[in-house]
Amino acid sequence: MSTHEQHSRARRLLAAAGAATLTLAAGLVPHQAVAADGDRVLTVAVAQSVDSLSPFLASRLLSTSIHRLMYEYLTNYDPKDAHAVPALATKWESSPDKLTWTYTIRSDSKWSDGRQTTAEDAAWTFNTMMTDEGAATANGSFVANFKKVTAPSPTKLVIELKKPQATMTALDVPIVPKHIWEKAGDFSKFNNDKKFPVVGNGPFILTDYKPDSYVRLKANKDFWRGAPKFDELVFRYYKDQDAAVAALRKGEVSFVAGAPALTPAQAASLKGEKDIHVNDAPGRRFYALAVNPGARAKNGQKFGDGHPSLLDERVRHALFMAVDRKTIIDKVFQGYAVQGEGYIPPRFSSYFWKPADGQELAYDPAEAARLLDQAGYKKNGDGKRVDKDGKPITYRVLCHATDPNDKAIGQYLKEWWGDLGIGMKLDCLDNVSDPWLAGTYDLAFDGWSVNPDPDFVLSIHTCGALPATPKDTGATDNFICDKKYDDLYARQLAEYDPAKRADIVKQMESRLYDLGYMNVMAYPNAVEAYRTDQIESITTMPAKAGNIYGQDGYWSWWSATPADSDGSSGGSGSTGVVVGVAVGAAVLVGGGVLFALRRRATAEERE
């Protein structure tokens, strides 16, 4: 993510196409930060493709980040402490019983076609998500508790709730123009990628897009907060991350994000290079091993072919107890990560959770072997663990073909599980969406970017996120459905006291940990790099030690100042700026740059 959170919901769109190899036509790639027409271009090399340009469908970090740039949300996040700050809404207040929320919509925001942005646009966006299953695909969890949404005036939005909801200042939902989107038709199929420029009111306007190639954004000169200083923003896809790093060295791109981060070797090779700055900061992602818990739909129908042995909690615990997380941090991430524990990364200290004494699934191969024996999966004469039918157990592990961490850790898993007598087949694919959504996998490398308010990444493990039928693709991450977890989720959503809510969230993390379906191995750092001869300054989030790519808001790209800028054009500088970027989708923009967009709607890429 997110997500977002998958999010029938027509996620078929997200799983549609496989990855495509990047092809760069001669003359299409900008080799400098200034285009032929004099426009200053900020080109971002990314290792992820767009799943959808519809904010009703998108869940990948790349795509949701693009939507942060295209559309305003009701609120934004301050980069210092992530508290809610004005965006489309200038202020908000709740009734004493917390069941009615009133937002004042700013009067100085306009759509890029010249129409005024009003409360009616927000009301229409939320009502559409409340009444149309396709429109609820990505962000339906935010409105599931909404009772009624109205716009009594152009600057007044009123949301009535069924019960109190603690996320009312953290509704990470792009507000779209009613007069454009009411003509969209089937929201489960409309991908928002046929007519350009796309009408928006954010800091950038989407002007061009080619699937598995590029997305191009131009600065919105009429943005209420001030125009960005770069005239154009380009996110280009590289299947080969080393090629992206080489492009940075040659000045063909201004910024490299990685997949989702630079490898230790890449970061080390860039440090100290002239005109290149490496940003290494605590990340907002977790990196996990997800277990197929037995794919099922809301109607109770089961599907997929996950290995039945994984339905036993002892087996799931045994597999994770055979994982040496310290080795993963030291050998694979080489120190550019923190050892995984709970579901929420330590960057979000209020919600960070650690297992209690006696609860931790610590590295203990002997105990792992004992648990497997206890579960009835013992070794045969050849030293292979066998299932109930006497067949040797071999697990299929979904792996992202472009992520070197998946491949490296996969080799360790093969060794560690092999010592237990369990076989492992690493399925490294460009398109992991198809088997993921069909439930035709045993385990998978998983990961999400967590927002300052964790509600979304918590929601994707509720029973309500399951697909309606096996033919649909709900908002679920990997088909987890647990009543105790659901009860805790409902409690945290209704709890306004921050300390009490944080305690409930930690109980949810504890429950997820005990179930063993989501085993967090690491919290990777945000390791990225940019050219200082192209970008003079750019805002990180948090401001003192944070990431640039994949923020909660649009702050990095909006605040970025060209190295040749005299500071006289465009919007405000980054000093004193309230910054935030949404985790969920990066944009591929191209001043003639191709960005291969692979349709891999996997959790690693979702907000």
Side-chain angles (χ1 to χ4, degrees), residues 297-310:
K298 289 180 184 176
N299 65 4
Q301 189 172 350
K302 297 180 180 180
F303 58 98
D305 61 358
H307 201 288
S309 64
L310 295 172

Side-chain angles (χ1 to χ4, degrees), residues 87 136 145 172 193 199 205 259 287 320 393 481 588:
N145 182 46
D172 293 321
D193 60 356
V199 176
I205 305 299
Y287 182 85
F320 196 51
I393 296 174
C481 178
L588 307 168

Side-chain angles (χ1 to χ4, degrees), residues 226-347:
K229 292 184 178 180
F230 274 94
D231 300 298
E232 195 165 81
L233 178 61
V234 176
F235 290 81
R236 184 202 303 180
Y237 167 77
Y238 283 85
K239 186 175 181 180
D240 183 342
Q241 190 162 298
D242 285 332
V245 171
L248 182 74
R249 284 196 173 93
K250 290 184 286 186
E252 295 174 356
V253 300
S254 309
F255 181 98
V256 173
L262 297 178
T263 66
Q266 290 166 343
S269 73
L270 290 173
K271 285 184 176 179
E273 284 218 8
K274 186 177 183 296
D275 297 327
I276 291 179
H277 173 73
V278 175
N279 184 50
D280 176 16
R284 55 186 289 245
R285 299 182 63 81
F286 65 79
Y287 182 85
L289 193 62
V291 178
N292 184 344
R296 52 179 159 168
K298 289 180 184 176
N299 65 4
Q301 189 172 350
K302 297 180 180 180
F303 58 98
D305 61 358
H307 201 288
S309 64
L310 295 172
L311 299 178
D312 192 318
E313 186 177 285
R314 293 168 296 185
V315 174
R316 301 194 296 270
H317 284 185
L319 291 178
F320 196 51
M321 294 180 77
V323 174
D324 186 350
R325 285 171 289 170
K326 186 177 185 304
T327 292
I328 289 174
I329 300 301
D330 294 342
K331 301 297 184 182
V332 178
F333 289 101
Q334 295 181 32
Y336 287 94
V338 176
Q339 185 169 308
E341 294 178 295
Y343 188 62
I344 308 296
R347 171 164 155 177

Side-chain angles (χ1 to χ4, degrees), residues 289 291 293 310-321 325 341-343 353-362 371 480 482 484-485 488 505-520:
L289 193 62
V291 178
L310 295 172
L311 299 178
D312 192 318
E313 186 177 285
R314 293 168 296 185
V315 174
R316 301 194 296 270
H317 284 185
L319 291 178
F320 196 51
M321 294 180 77
R325 285 171 289 170
E341 294 178 295
Y343 188 62
W353 170 88
K354 291 184 176 183
D357 291 341
Q359 183 183 17
E360 183 181 6
L361 300 174
L371 285 174
I480 294 174
D482 175 72
K484 183 175 180 180
Y485 179 88
L488 289 168
V505 169
K506 290 175 182 178
Q507 292 179 51
M508 296 175 70
E509 295 182 75
S510 179
R511 179 62 178 170
L512 272 182
Y513 189 88
D514 289 343
L515 288 172
Y517 292 123
M518 286 291 297
N519 293 314
V520 177

Side-chain angles (χ1 to χ4, degrees), residues 5-7 9 11 137-138 460 465-467 473-477 606:
E5 78 167 20
Q6 124 94 188
H7 293 343
R9 318 223 336 190
R11 191 45 73 65
T137 298
I460 59 178
L466 294 175
T473 52
T476 186
D477 182 13
R606 291 174 269 180

